[in-house]
Amino acid sequence: MDKERQKQAPIYTALERFRRQRVVPFDVPGHKRGRGNPELVQLLGEKCVGIDVNSMKPLDNLCHPVSVIRDAEELAADAFGAAHAFLMVGGTTSSVQSMVLSTCKPGDKIILPRNVHKSAINALVLCGATPVYIDPKVDKRLGIPLGMEVEDVRAAMEANPDAVAVFINNPTYYGICSDLKSLVKLAHEHNMLALVDEAHGTHLYFGPGLPCPAMRAGADMAAVSMHKSGGSLTQSSILLLGPNIDEGYVSSVINLTQTTSASYLLMSSLDISRRNLALRGAESFSRVVDMAEYARREINEIGGYYAYGSELINGGSIYDFDVTKLAVYTRGIGLTGIEVYDLLRDEYDIQVEFGDLSNMLAYISIGDRIQDIERLVGALADIKRLYSKPETNIFTSEYITPVVAATPQRAFYAEKEYLPIEDTAGRICSEFVMCYPPGIPILAPGEVITKEILDYIRFAKEKGCSMQGPASSDISHLYVLKE
């Protein structure tokens, strides 16, 4: 990485130059630097609405960058150690889908863990590829899916030698990392591409002593959520390419779905955040690691909770652990993660990332302070004292092995019927059901609905998980394939 060159921020510089010119706008957006919408100015500020502009020659165009956006993408590629980088304004959902859509054609097979984000399965609906799912190992106590075992992936490749790619989550929401280098090497030995959903791994490229990131492992593509741990605005992302990928073709695929009116607020935030990480990332994420480890120690001293970390590493299904992730098992105090999540927000004005049926996750990143950590620890101690119950073991896992009866695309577009959810056992689902976050489907199109899955959905609803996916807003009905 060229540290001197990384001091540049070409999109930001171009916007500052443009702002000083006081150009009279006879183009979109129609709020005309905020003059037509004073309430928007009051909410966002004059500077923000003043650079909410449309593509024009001095500011380049994301659909076909030739100047400042191209320069920003080259700087991003240099910072992340990639052959090319695309700035993405449709979130990492669009980055994940672009990886899959540029790799798979209708009928192609792709090997992937079933605990993928819904964006990956949505991509299969769009392109018509056939998933070859690998069931992740599960930590029964913590109720979380683990990483991809090398031997499981090898077996799937040998059983499906015609698969075109393997898709890898790394790290997971919970901080679990697979043996990325070995998985990439295995994919290439079988003439398959290695695609990495690195939504939760921006910091791996910059923080000292953290698990290996995708580009360093030799992956062909990686989707990076800069807005999660990288400091950019929500919905901004970067798609990284390795040296053997045709960037022109990937660009064509991105432009099938990406907006032609890309937000300069999002793009400039990517530009500035990349510069910040390149220049100060090592120092910043060293502090993040220290804060997360401190929080882990303090929470574990409370008793009842278990803030897990690198002690889980087993060299296989947990090959490494991202210690910046502060995931806390809560069932030891008799509460689900979503119950602790709700109490923290409603009673203590603390918003954590998510709660599931066994865990809660506090996202620690470059904007956090040690006094905020102290407040979280104090609130958790208070919750244990005031709200704890006898420990129960109703469900032992956040992951239920699916029975796949049809491809996602065929099930999504098939003739279907709308049934009360309690009448759907044994039928093939035509839509998604998930808790969001984390957005990992409990049911996906093409999967058989079982009593175990229905019991899980019912329990998750009762405990207050935010359920989404089906057309039915209250999850009372499901679309299933017509018999």
Side-chain angles (χ1 to χ4, degrees):
M1 180 169 59
D2 185 341
K3 276 289 183 77
E4 194 60 36
R5 189 167 169 244
Q6 287 295 327
K7 293 177 181 177
Q8 301 172 25
I11 298 174
Y12 166 74
T13 302
L15 282 170
E16 282 289 287
R17 187 186 310 119
F18 174 80
R19 192 171 59 84
R20 289 193 299 269
Q21 287 177 316
R22 304 180 69 84
V23 172
V24 179
F26 284 105
D27 61 349
V28 296
H31 61 68
K32 300 298 174 85
R33 316 292 189 263
R35 292 196 300 270
N37 195 342
E39 289 178 338
L40 188 65
V41 179
Q42 189 174 3
L43 176 66
L44 299 179
E46 286 186 13
K47 190 166 186 179
C48 187
V49 296
I51 59 171
D52 180 35
V53 294
N54 195 28
S55 295
M56 59 188 76
K57 280 189 177 180
L59 297 179
D60 210 354
N61 189 303
L62 186 61
C63 294
H64 185 74
V66 295
S67 58
V68 294
I69 296 175
R70 181 199 60 198
D71 293 344
E73 290 185 335
E74 289 176 356
L75 285 164
D78 178 55
F80 284 89
H84 186 76
F86 290 97
L87 304 187
M88 306 290 287
V89 295
T92 302
T93 287
S94 66
S95 297
V96 166
Q97 292 179 347
S98 296
M99 286 198 301
V100 176
L101 294 175
S102 59
T103 301
C104 298
K105 300 186 295 296
D108 282 347
K109 291 180 183 177
I110 180 170
I111 296 167
L112 67 169
R114 174 52 181 75
N115 60 318
V116 290
H117 187 265
K118 68 172 184 174
S119 58
I121 301 177
N122 279 340
L124 303 184
V125 171
L126 293 173
C127 71
T130 299
V132 176
Y133 289 130
I134 295 176
D135 277 338
K137 300 292 190 297
V138 171
D139 186 305
K140 294 282 188 185
R141 180 195 169 194
L142 300 177
I144 60 171
L146 305 177
M148 295 174 79
E149 296 255 21
V150 173
E151 290 312 309
D152 290 344
V153 175
R154 189 193 308 277
M157 289 177 174
E158 290 174 355
N160 299 273
D162 52 342
V164 297
V166 58
F167 186 98
I168 307 158
N169 291 334
N170 202 77
T172 71
Y173 230 139
Y174 303 93
I176 307 298
C177 295
S178 302
D179 183 356
L180 200 52
K181 284 184 179 178
S182 294
L183 292 175
V184 169
K185 183 172 181 286
L186 196 60
H188 292 165
E189 287 172 353
H190 287 77
N191 296 314
M192 299 177 193
L193 295 180
L195 316 179
V196 182
D197 180 349
E198 212 163 28
H200 301 282
T202 305
H203 51 290
L204 302 186
Y205 290 89
F206 305 99
L210 292 174
C212 179
M215 287 295 107
R216 206 176 300 154
D220 297 289
M221 294 192 227
V224 176
S225 271
M226 277 287 278
H227 70 92
K228 288 187 170 70
S229 60
S232 64
L233 290 177
T234 297
Q235 200 177 308
S236 58
S237 176
I238 293 179
L239 176 59
L240 303 173
L241 269 57
N244 299 317
I245 299 298
D246 182 347
E247 72 177 75
Y249 179 67
V250 175
S251 177
S252 298
V253 170
I254 290 170
N255 285 329
L256 289 175
T257 56
Q258 184 157 259
T259 178
T260 55
S261 303
S263 167
Y264 278 86
L265 299 175
L266 297 180
M267 288 189 286
S268 60
S269 81
L270 284 169
D271 198 23
I272 294 165
S273 299
R274 179 272 314 152
R275 179 173 68 178
N276 181 47
L277 295 182
L279 300 180
R280 292 175 284 277
E283 176 190 348
S284 297
F285 288 117
S286 179
R287 284 199 309 273
V288 170
V289 168
D290 289 344
M291 282 191 290
E293 293 284 39
Y294 171 73
R296 204 170 271 115
R297 290 193 300 271
E298 292 292 302
I299 291 168
N300 285 333
E301 283 184 12
I302 296 170
Y305 299 106
Y306 175 33
Y308 39 94
S310 54
E311 73 280 357
L312 295 181
I313 293 172
N314 60 21
S317 58
I318 310 173
Y319 182 79
D320 208 343
F321 190 85
D322 173 12
V323 294
T324 72
K325 300 288 189 297
L326 183 59
V328 183
Y329 176 76
T330 64
R331 294 286 279 275
I333 64 164
L335 298 177
T336 63
I338 190 63
E339 288 172 319
V340 173
Y341 168 101
D342 287 339
L343 285 166
L344 285 168
R345 185 193 60 244
D346 296 342
E347 302 298 330
Y348 299 90
D349 295 327
I350 294 173
Q351 181 64 58
V352 295
E353 176 67 9
F354 79 87
D356 58 33
L357 296 185
S358 300
N359 308 270
M360 55 143 272
L361 177 74
Y363 215 96
I364 312 296
S365 196
I366 55 179
D368 285 301
R369 306 169 300 173
I370 198 68
Q371 54 263 47
D372 299 323
I373 301 291
E374 298 282 10
R375 186 171 165 185
L376 173 63
V377 172
L380 289 173
D382 218 33
I383 286 171
K384 181 194 174 188
R385 181 173 59 84
L386 295 174
Y387 300 100
S388 61
K389 303 173 185 175
E391 186 173 359
T392 57
N393 289 299
I394 300 172
F395 283 95
T396 58
S397 175
E398 290 293 320
Y399 176 79
I400 298 172
T401 301
V403 177
V404 180
T407 66
Q409 187 182 70
R410 186 173 84 77
F412 188 84
Y413 290 111
E415 192 176 358
K416 53 187 75 83
E417 54 185 319
Y418 197 53
L419 295 180
I421 192 168
E422 60 270 16
D423 297 338
T424 60
R427 303 295 293 272
I428 301 171
C429 194
S430 181
E431 50 188 351
F432 290 93
V433 181
M434 71 199 79
C435 297
Y436 192 89
I440 297 166
I442 301 166
L443 273 171
E447 295 177 358
V448 176
I449 302 165
T450 63
K451 181 181 181 301
E452 183 185 14
I453 288 171
L454 293 177
D455 288 343
Y456 183 95
I457 292 170
R458 191 177 305 113
F459 183 71
K461 283 176 64 179
E462 287 171 359
K463 290 299 181 182
C465 286
S466 176
M467 308 288 290
Q468 61 174 249
S472 165
S473 59
D474 61 356
I475 326 292
S476 62
H477 288 68
L478 286 177
Y479 276 110
V480 298
L481 271 62
K482 205 160 196 173
E483 291 185 330

